[in-house]
Amino acid sequence: MTVADLLNGMPFADLLDIDVVEAADGHAVAELPLREEHSSVPGREIAHGGVTYALADTVGGAAVISLHHKPTPTVDMRIDYLAPATTDLRAEAEVVRDGRSVATADVRVEGADGTHVADARGTFKTGGGEDGGAWGGDSPEDGV
């Protein structure tokens, strides 16, 4: 099973229709077709900030998972919204630091029309648990 297959099987990603199309060697790409249900404005398709954030978080996690091949929960994510998202979205992530217990990924989100929608930086837990999991002990992360 590939990293993309694993993340595309995540119920939340399925709910939002996030599709991880590439995830390897610390790099990942994901797409989200904008739907009316994603909108923050009645009668118009303008993505709610949470939709953009979820896309950035998912693709950033995919980039980190592609290096560790195990769940890497998000510790923190900062996002700058630069323009309204009014078309389908594409996000690209690159791991910029991969440490023993955390990794950092930068994410760029663009609209299908080329609009630079957002930039994000996420920190993801990569290790530290005695059982090999990121948080240690009994946790639900076995299924990501």
Side-chain angles (χ1 to χ4, degrees):
M1 177 180 285
T2 69
V3 173
D5 290 338
L6 180 67
L7 287 166
N8 288 332
M10 184 173 56
F12 185 68
D14 187 48
L15 176 69
L16 291 179
D17 207 13
I18 295 172
D19 182 25
V20 177
V21 296
E22 177 185 334
D25 303 320
H27 177 83
V29 176
E31 299 172 343
L32 181 146
L34 189 60
R35 300 188 322 250
E36 183 180 347
E37 295 84 14
H38 295 138
S39 187
S40 61
V41 179
R44 294 184 58 200
E45 286 188 0
I46 299 176
H48 184 282
V51 172
T52 304
Y53 183 96
L55 176 62
D57 182 42
T58 300
V59 76
V64 175
I65 290 170
S66 76
L67 294 175
H68 293 269
H69 304 285
K70 63 181 181 179
T72 57
T74 307
V75 174
D76 184 51
M77 180 163 274
R78 181 189 188 294
I79 190 165
D80 292 319
Y81 299 98
L82 305 172
T86 58
T87 63
D88 294 349
L89 296 173
R90 181 178 192 274
E92 192 164 343
E94 193 74 40
V95 174
V96 294
R97 170 109 167 79
D98 187 27
R100 285 187 350 186
S101 62
V102 296
T104 302
D106 284 345
V107 180
R108 180 181 174 103
V109 181
E110 293 184 349
D113 61 358
T115 300
H116 188 180
V117 172
D119 283 326
R121 174 168 275 193
T123 304
F124 301 84
K125 185 84 169 126
T126 59
E130 294 174 13
D131 67 349
W135 294 120
D138 294 330
S139 73
E141 71 179 16
D142 294 331
V144 175

